[in-house]
C-alpha cells in the first residue's frame, strides 16, 4: 500500500536549502553589534522590562494619589458645610484619620484643633497644634500659622517659656515677623518687663510690611 503521507519531515527544507536564520542574523547587523547583543540580550531585556514596570507603577501611583486627594478634598468640603457641631467634628475627624497626609487631611486636623480652642479646652488644643507641628514639613505654608496658634494658646495657658520660643521663631519667619514681635512684646508685658515689651512694639511699628491690624495694636500699646 502506497504511503499516503503528503508531507514528510525529512523532505521539508528551507527554500534556500539552509537552516532558518536567527532574529539577529535577519537584522544584518555588523559582527561586533551582533556579538554584543548575543552577550547582553538577557540583561538588556530585563532592564527594559524593569523600566516598563517602573513607568507603569509611577503612572498608577500618580492616579491613585490624585484620586485620594480629590476624595479627601470632597469630604472636607462636605464636613465644613455641616452646621451641627458634633456632626462636623466627627466628619472632620474621619477625614483626618482616612487622609492624614493629604492637604485636606492636614486642614481637617487644623480645624479640629481650632474647635478644641473655641470650646475652651486649651490643653487639648495645644496638644493638637503641637502634634501638627511635629508632623508637618517646615516648608508647608501652613506651618507658621499653626505655630502662631500654638504660641497664642500656650500664652493663654501661662506657659510663657514655650510660647516665647515660638514667637521668637515667628519673628524670623517671612510674613510673620509682626506676629512674632507683637506676641513677644505681650509676653514680656505679662511678665512685667514693660520696657522690653515697648521695644518689641516699636519694632512692629517700624516694619514696612506689618499688617494694619497688628500695626494698630502695637501703636495702641505704645500709647498706653
Amino acid at each position: 500500500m502506497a504511503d499516503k503521507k503528503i508531507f514528510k519531515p525529512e523532505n521539508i527544507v528551507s527554500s534556500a536549502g539552509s537552516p532558518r536564520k536567527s532574529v539577529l542574523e535577519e537584522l544584518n547587523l555588523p559582527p561586533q553589534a551582533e556579538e554584543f547583543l548575543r552577550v547582553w540580550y538577557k540583561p538588556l531585556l530585563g532592564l527594559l522590562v524593569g523600566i516598563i514596570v517602573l513607568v507603569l507603577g509611577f503612572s498608577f501611583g500618580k492616579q491613585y494619589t490624585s484620586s485620594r486627594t480629590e476624595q479627601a478634598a470632597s469630604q472636607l468640603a462636605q464636613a465644613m458645610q455641616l452646621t451641627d457641631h458634633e456632626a462636623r467634628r466627627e466628619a472632620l475627624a474621619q477625614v483626618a484619620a482616612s487622609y492624614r497626609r493629604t492637604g485636606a487631611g492636614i486642614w481637617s486636623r487644623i480645624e479640629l484643633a481650632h474647635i478644641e480652642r473655641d470650646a475652651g479646652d486649651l490643653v487639648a488644643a495645644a496638644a493638637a497644634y503641637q502634634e501638627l507641628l511635629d508632623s508637618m514639613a517646615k516648608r508647608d505654608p501652613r506651618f507658621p500659622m499653626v505655630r502662631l496658634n500654638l504660641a497664642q494658646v500656650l500664652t493663654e495657658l501661662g506657659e510663657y517659656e514655650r510660647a516665647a520660643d515660638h514667637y521668637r521663631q515667628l519673628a524670623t519667619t517671612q510674613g510673620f515677623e509682626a506676629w512674632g514681635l507683637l506676641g513677644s512684646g505681650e509676653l514680656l508685658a505679662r511678665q512685667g518687663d514693660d520696657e522690653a515689651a515697648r521695644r518689641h512694639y516699636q519694632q512692629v511699628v517700624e516694619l514696612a510690611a506689618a499688617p494694619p491690624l497688628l500695626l494698630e495694636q502695637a501703636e495702641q500699646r505704645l500709647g498706653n
Side-chain angles (χ1 to χ4, degrees):
M1 184 175 180
D3 190 348
K4 295 184 179 181
K5 288 184 178 180
I6 297 175
F7 299 107
K8 294 183 179 180
E10 61 270 19
N11 293 331
I12 300 175
V13 295
S14 68
S15 59
S18 59
R20 185 178 178 183
K21 290 183 178 181
S22 68
V23 175
L24 291 177
E25 290 173 332
E26 292 286 353
L27 293 174
N28 291 321
L29 297 171
Q32 290 181 340
E34 185 177 331
E35 182 61 26
F36 175 82
L37 289 176
R38 287 186 189 280
V39 173
W40 293 99
Y41 170 73
K42 288 185 178 180
L44 288 173
L45 181 61
L47 178 61
L48 178 60
V49 171
I51 292 173
I52 292 172
V53 170
L54 283 174
V55 170
L56 290 175
F58 176 79
S59 177
F60 288 130
K62 191 173 181 180
Q63 290 179 4
Y64 174 75
T65 301
S66 177
S67 175
R68 278 183 59 82
T69 300
E70 291 177 4
Q71 291 173 3
S74 175
Q75 290 189 28
L76 174 60
Q78 293 175 19
M80 294 299 290
Q81 291 174 2
L82 295 173
T83 55
D84 182 78
H85 182 77
E86 285 304 317
R88 186 178 185 184
R89 183 199 291 264
E90 289 177 11
L92 287 170
Q94 186 174 354
V95 175
S98 301
Y99 306 98
R100 183 178 180 81
R101 294 293 181 181
T102 65
I106 293 174
W107 275 119
S108 296
R109 292 157 61 196
I110 292 173
E111 285 298 322
L112 287 168
H114 290 344
I115 288 173
E116 298 292 358
R117 183 179 180 181
D118 292 341
D121 193 344
L122 299 182
V123 173
Y129 289 130
Q130 185 64 64
E131 193 274 335
L132 276 160
L133 279 188
D134 293 340
S135 61
M136 290 172 67
K138 290 188 177 181
R139 64 179 179 276
D140 190 314
R142 294 163 295 193
F143 190 89
M145 181 190 69
V146 174
R147 186 188 291 282
L148 174 60
N149 278 276
L150 176 57
Q152 291 172 340
V153 170
L154 291 173
T155 300
E156 293 178 56
L157 287 170
E159 296 189 35
Y160 296 153
E161 244 183 76
R162 288 178 62 194
D165 180 58
H166 289 297
Y167 280 129
R168 277 193 295 269
Q169 295 189 60
L170 285 167
T172 61
T173 302
Q174 186 175 4
F176 285 82
E177 299 93 341
W179 289 102
L181 290 168
L182 186 64
S184 297
E186 291 180 341
L187 276 179
L188 290 165
R190 288 191 182 210
Q191 294 172 303
D193 194 343
D194 293 333
E195 187 58 35
R198 288 181 65 82
R199 286 197 296 270
H200 282 76
Y201 299 147
Q202 186 61 45
Q203 286 179 276
V204 176
V205 172
E206 292 171 358
L207 275 177
L213 177 62
L214 300 188
L215 184 59
E216 182 182 346
Q217 291 179 15
E219 290 174 340
Q220 287 177 353
R221 285 160 176 73
L222 283 170
N224 294 335

